Amino acid sequence: MAEALEIPGVSASPGVGVGPVHLAAEFTAEALAPGDTVAAEGDRLRQAVATAVAELEALAYRSDEESAGILDFQIEMLLDPALVEMAEERIVAGDGAALAWFGALDDYIAGIEEAPDEQLRARAVDIVDIRNRVLSALTGRPLEDFAPGSVFVGKDLEPSLFLAHDWTAGGGIVLFEGSASSHVAMLARSRSVPMLVATGRFEVAAGARVLVDASNARAVIAPDDGHVREAKSRKPAVRPTASRAGGAIQTADGVAIRLSAIMNDPRDLEAIDPASFAGIGLMRTEFLVTSPADAFDEEKHYDIYRHALDWAGESPAIVRMLDLGGDKTLPGLGARRSESFMGLRGIRLLLARPELARAQARALLRAAVHGNLGVLLPMVTVPGELDAMRAIFEEESTALGKRGLQTRMPEIGMMVEVPAAALMLDRFSRSDFFSFGTNDLAQYLAAAARDDQSVAALYDAATPAVYRVIAQGVALAEAMNKPIGICGEMASDPRHIPALIAAGLRQFSVAPNRVADIGSTIGGMCSDGGPRRR
Ligand code: PEP
Ligand code: MG
């Protein structure tokens, strides 16, 4: 039997998984056949693209709505003539169709992959998907299946592949690169899929048995039963219990705290008991749209918000408007460098593309009739942005009323994640409520990108500054008599809870699978952040 080999990494989603390795498929140029005439190769390429489009359409037809959205995006990319034209230039220069397609897309992918932020990297993996499907049509080589229960091992994993995969049979994720702050990592945490990132490249055979012991920041190739037993015996129990009825909990000295749920994917709602939460404190919406068409699809937005409101019952369901840009770019909506973490992101992008904001606002205004809806605005920096978005809601409400449609103006609050706003909350009196987005607040305070592992230590070092800004913001919000809470990842990490409660926070939005840990931490401490006293 092969000897066990331990690979250290960074834990991006705790837990333990074991299964056979699925190695991310890699096409190589060497295997590609030489070409025929320019005209024949051009025809072959166009036919392969048409085959890929037809395959995707057939798959989309058989898929649920969310998967179909992902496939529709790929179809749109393939129908964009720019990609084929790049390959045709290479055919004219003498390459066969397969080599030309591979070369053109690989150059494109390499350029994107060199970008330091995940915004562009996320786009690169989508292009890899498309590249492989067309190459499969050109070469007859089938696309690899990703069997349930496998451990995915590769350079990175795109959110669409994560969302399309059946994780119910277990398995896990080990990435040579990747980041614990990426959105795939957040999705993995919310679905309890163990995930390890930043391992560096290592050799492992497809099908080899691998243990993902993400709770201990390691993977073990060819583990023995002792490794597996030991890792599993340390697995934390994280199931919500009924003791936090309605998400209400008290510190040991009797201070009331509210725990609401973070939602990244409406499908997660089915598995979560609403009785354990004070509603939804943050529903991200960028994960609900997988193509530009989705982003503008008012009915799709409306159905999802209705579903969230039904789940929450009388409790609030706080939906955040699209926070595109930064590491959450929607390819096809004109991703540019200006949409980096420091650029046209969140409300900046929504106000620059008001048709996007208007479609979402209409869906929110209509859904608000059916429950206790709140709307969160991402990346607010100055009060004028809040006013401009309110004006959009008011105009759309009037227009919907003229069409005879029922609407209700929801409470509109803001994420507190840009330091210039966090330090000046008293200027934001038109915000109905506030929610600290510490994932971004920390990166902007430390000038250390949240998805760059090489500056992770600096990102962590910003923690005391984050606590201080929070304490000041809570005091300002209290003076204005406005609710204030937190929805960044810090709120789901028991290590930060004492300092956050000592800073005055009483409303926490947490990843559903962390709620038991957070609840027991709060129950065992006093509101000054100290331990329970006898
Ligand atoms: C945050 O910044 O803390 C946050 C909750 O939003 P996101 O992680 O989606 O940027
Ligand atoms: Mg944020």
Side-chain angles (χ1 to χ4, degrees):
M1 201 175 132
E3 205 165 308
L5 175 67
E6 191 168 319
I7 311 276
V10 174
S11 175
S13 170
V16 177
V18 64
V21 165
H22 167 79
L23 275 181
E26 283 182 23
F27 274 89
T28 55
E30 291 74 37
L32 302 174
D36 198 340
T37 63
V38 168
E41 292 302 296
D43 279 353
R44 264 171 33 79
L45 177 61
R46 278 186 293 278
Q47 258 171 32
V49 170
T51 303
V53 169
E55 279 174 13
L56 288 168
E57 281 173 347
L59 270 176
Y61 184 72
R62 294 197 300 271
S63 300
D64 62 76
E65 205 179 333
E66 186 172 37
S67 312
I70 293 165
L71 299 167
D72 283 346
F73 159 68
Q74 297 202 351
I75 293 168
E76 276 177 43
M77 291 291 289
L78 278 173
L79 293 177
D80 180 346
L83 291 182
V84 172
E85 279 164 15
M86 284 193 298
E88 278 174 341
E89 280 173 25
R90 287 170 172 258
I91 291 176
V92 171
D95 283 350
L99 194 58
W101 179 253
F102 184 90
L105 269 78
D106 245 31
D107 277 0
Y108 189 42
I109 292 162
I112 296 170
E113 281 179 343
E114 271 171 26
D117 60 34
E118 196 178 339
Q119 169 200 1
L120 291 179
R121 275 196 285 123
R123 194 173 174 206
V125 282
D126 277 308
I127 313 290
V128 170
D129 264 359
I130 291 165
R131 183 198 69 185
N132 293 352
R133 186 170 289 278
V134 173
L135 276 178
S136 161
L138 278 166
T139 60
R141 178 177 151 177
L143 287 169
E144 266 190 33
D145 196 11
F146 179 12
S150 309
V151 173
F152 179 96
V153 176
K155 187 169 135 192
D156 208 343
L157 171 61
E158 61 270 41
S160 62
L161 185 50
F162 179 95
L163 287 169
H165 183 66
D166 174 9
W167 294 103
T168 54
I173 302 165
V174 180
L175 299 181
F176 304 146
E177 297 181 9
S179 157
S181 302
S182 73
H183 286 88
V184 168
M186 287 184 196
L187 290 170
R189 286 192 284 274
S190 69
R191 297 259 185 101
S192 301
V193 176
M195 175 172 170
L196 199 65
V197 299
T199 60
R201 215 165 252 284
F202 60 88
E203 293 297 322
V204 63
R209 192 161 177 259
V210 166
L211 167 70
V212 189
D213 182 6
S215 301
N216 289 301
R218 62 174 191 162
V220 183
I221 300 175
D224 57 34
D225 290 348
H227 284 114
V228 177
R229 250 195 326 273
E230 185 212 332
K232 286 195 169 163
S233 67
R234 278 191 263 154
K235 192 176 170 186
V238 290
R239 291 283 147 246
T241 66
S243 62
R244 291 170 308 284
I249 192 153
Q250 287 194 349
T251 59
D253 56 342
V255 171
I257 307 289
R258 274 162 36 114
L259 300 180
S260 54
I262 291 180
M263 278 299 126
N264 292 329
D265 181 338
R267 287 180 306 182
D268 294 344
L269 290 173
E270 314 309 332
I272 300 166
D273 179 8
S276 296
F277 293 89
I280 299 173
L282 167 66
M283 181 168 194
R284 291 188 170 89
T285 55
E286 30 315 331
F287 299 120
L288 309 184
V289 291
T290 51
S291 72
D294 274 347
F296 294 106
D297 188 340
E298 181 184 326
E299 291 313 310
K300 181 172 178 187
H301 280 271
Y302 173 78
D303 288 346
I304 290 166
Y305 306 152
R306 285 288 315 262
H307 181 52
L309 286 166
D310 287 349
W311 181 88
E314 287 177 6
S315 298
I318 297 180
V319 174
R320 188 176 69 187
M321 291 190 80
L322 287 167
D323 183 18
L324 297 171
D327 59 347
K328 292 168 286 197
T329 286
L330 181 60
L333 263 184
R336 298 184 302 269
R337 281 209 67 78
S338 64
E339 291 167 15
S340 70
F341 280 128
M342 307 287 273
L344 209 54
R345 177 187 167 192
I347 195 165
R348 305 168 186 184
L349 186 65
L350 288 170
L351 294 176
R353 302 282 306 267
E355 69 283 15
L356 204 58
R358 286 182 185 280
Q360 198 171 16
R362 283 194 296 275
L364 288 163
L365 283 159
R366 288 170 50 210
V369 175
H370 303 280
N372 188 352
L373 182 77
V375 173
L376 252 182
L377 305 182
M379 287 290 292
V380 173
T381 310
V382 292
E385 292 167 326
L386 198 71
D387 295 341
M389 189 58 78
R390 271 193 184 283
I392 286 179
F393 271 77
E394 272 150 23
E395 284 162 22
E396 290 301 331
S397 170
T398 307
L400 287 168
K402 283 190 185 145
R403 284 167 50 202
L405 290 164
Q406 239 194 319
T407 63
R408 196 171 71 81
M409 188 60 72
E411 296 226 308
I412 301 181
M414 60 182 262
M415 296 286 293
V416 183
E417 51 189 349
V418 177
L423 293 168
M424 307 296 289
L425 282 195
D426 45 329
R427 292 184 58 211
F428 293 86
S429 56
R430 300 249 297 153
S431 182
D432 292 325
F433 61 95
F434 301 105
S435 188
F436 281 107
T438 48
N439 307 339
D440 279 310
L441 187 56
Q443 79 161 343
Y444 295 128
L445 284 171
R450 58 194 270 184
D451 62 351
D452 187 340
Q453 206 56 44
S454 64
V455 289
L458 285 174
Y459 182 92
D460 290 343
T463 299
V466 173
Y467 292 157
R468 186 174 288 184
V469 172
I470 288 177
Q472 183 184 322
V474 168
L476 292 172
E478 277 173 2
M480 290 191 284
N481 216 5
K482 304 261 183 190
I484 187 159
I486 175 170
C487 60
E489 294 269 303
M490 268 187 178
S492 299
D493 184 340
R495 290 172 305 171
H496 294 298
I497 297 298
L500 295 174
I501 288 189
L505 284 173
R506 301 292 179 256
Q507 296 180 29
F508 291 72
S509 303
V510 301
N513 63 346
R514 305 297 300 152
V515 74
D517 275 2
I518 300 303
S520 57
T521 305
I522 292 171
M525 59 169 283
C526 291
S527 55
D528 61 3
R532 170 194 291 273
R533 288 182 277 274
R534 292 180 183 276

